[in-house]
Amino acid sequence: MERNYDTQDTQEKTPRALLVGLRLGNDRDFDVSMEELGSLAEACGMEVAARMEQSLSSPTPAYYIGSGKVAEIQETVELLDIDYVIFEDALSPSQLKNLQKEIEASVMDRTSLILEIFSRRAKTREARLQVESASLQYMLPRLVGMRDSLGRQAGASGSLSNKGSGEKQIELDRRKIERRINELGRELDAIEHDRDIQRRKRSRSALPLAALVGYTNAGKSTLMNRLLTTCADTAGGSVKEEKMVMEKDMLFATLDTTVRKIEPGNRKDFLLSDTVGFVSRLPHGLIKAFRSTLDEVRFADLLLNVVDASDERFREQMRVTEETLRELGAETIPCIHVMNKADKIMEPQELPRISGNRIYLSAKQGYGIYELLSMIEEKLYAGSRECTFLFPYSRGDLVNYLNENAAVRTCEYLPEGVKITASCREMDQERLREFLERE
């Protein structure tokens, strides 16, 4: 058992949290998980005042921890003026109910903490609806015990929907939540339909899509902004502020998926999407609610798995990302492992370092960005071959299309039309087959 008390004055307004963990047997990941729980609490605007743990062979059915430990937690809550007691694992509805009766502070588990963070960070209408849906699905089985002044159900013949004036308040709450979940489902279906339309429009542009994935706070948004600014600098321009995405050194800084066109200038253009970050034991309800958003990953031509190379737990974080991608059905998509923040563990002159499909770089410092762009182009435009086309002058749109989406080698203006030799993808070869020059 470990007790780490912070006895400094607690007059500040920041809510104080007590972290509680249950070490089951030889759990090597326990300390890492507790550290991550502390980071999640801080991301939720809390101050971690203390940490307590207990070793058991299995959780207890009533309290998850032992009854003696519950009394010790209550003493700590009073001593340190704790506002939130946060458990490292998910609590069952009955465990949550029993703990709330014994502890004079708000009791949360890992799932409810992540939901709270998502609720605070959701900005767009879609993200807010997704978080509300996941929160209500989490709350539904935990309504038991939330109402004390309830009467017995009145007798009713036949339908259960007519229980008379004695109907329990808990049943009314359950129906209200179920109705709202259904409403949210319909709204999210409509948004998903609109997203599908946008996705089809993008596919018609024939620009390939790369998606940023990875553990939360690995630097995905920083990398997207760096790619935008680097390409703008190469072209002698600047990036409009509204094109930049928010970047901040915290867990789940951004929830909304954004898609930007990357125009490297001397390389071929592509689309890049930034998605919500992953975390170990990401609540299933959140994955389900954010499925329409995460579908950007499934439809990508290339994944950029951004990894914080300076984090000693990066291998575990890569494993979590791979498991989440499997759950989304995106495990077979080609992938580049972007080992970000490598400037913290390597000298600048050592960067970038490329090994197979892995590149060590620093998005913040700008080391390795051009090399990454080369790797992206090579992956996205793999399978290209050189073709010669002859377009009539009436099809200037196709000439522009090739200039934007293929590597044009030569362009000749002949009496019969525009003759172009270009290295292009198979899908473009098929699309422009009627204009191919026969050998």
Side-chain angles (χ1 to χ4, degrees), residues 98 150 174 196 199 235 251 254 318 322 324 338 373 375:
N98 295 336
L150 305 177
R174 181 177 287 111
D196 286 339
R199 192 179 291 119
L251 303 185
T254 55
M318 291 179 73
E322 290 169 1
T324 308
V338 182
L373 285 169
M375 293 179 70

Side-chain angles (χ1 to χ4, degrees), residues 79-106:
L79 177 65
L80 298 182
D81 191 24
I82 298 296
D83 301 290
Y84 294 93
V85 177
I86 307 173
F87 284 76
E88 185 270 337
D89 206 351
L91 298 173
S92 71
S94 61
Q95 289 168 344
L96 184 62
K97 170 189 171 184
N98 295 336
L99 287 165
Q100 194 66 73
K101 285 182 178 180
E102 302 294 333
I103 299 173
E104 295 178 1
S106 296

Side-chain angles (χ1 to χ4, degrees), residues 134-191:
S135 298
L136 290 176
Q137 290 179 55
Y138 170 80
M139 184 191 304
L140 190 59
R142 291 166 173 79
L143 291 174
V144 178
M146 295 177 63
R147 302 282 184 178
D148 295 325
S149 55
L150 305 177
R152 292 176 60 85
Q153 296 182 34
S157 59
S159 174
L160 290 175
S161 63
N162 181 21
K163 296 184 179 180
S165 59
E167 180 177 40
K168 286 186 175 181
Q169 183 65 43
I170 189 74
E171 186 65 23
L172 292 174
D173 290 345
R174 181 177 287 111
R175 289 183 188 177
K176 184 177 180 180
I177 290 176
E178 288 175 344
R179 282 198 298 269
R180 181 57 180 158
I181 290 174
N182 290 332
E183 290 172 2
L184 291 169
R186 288 191 292 270
E187 292 185 65
L188 288 171
D189 285 343
I191 293 175

Side-chain angles (χ1 to χ4, degrees), residues 40 43-44 108 110-136 138-139 251-256 276 282-283 286 289-290:
L40 289 168
C44 203
M108 305 177 72
R110 183 186 183 89
T111 300
S112 59
L113 179 61
I114 293 175
L115 287 169
E116 178 63 24
I117 296 172
F118 271 55
S119 178
R120 296 185 182 192
R121 302 283 164 77
K123 301 298 181 185
T124 65
R125 176 171 173 267
E126 180 181 15
R128 289 195 296 268
L129 292 176
Q130 289 168 328
V131 173
E132 183 182 356
S133 176
S135 298
L136 290 176
Y138 170 80
M139 184 191 304
L251 303 185
F252 300 116
T254 55
L255 297 183
D256 305 307
V276 62
L282 188 66
L286 272 178
F290 275 76

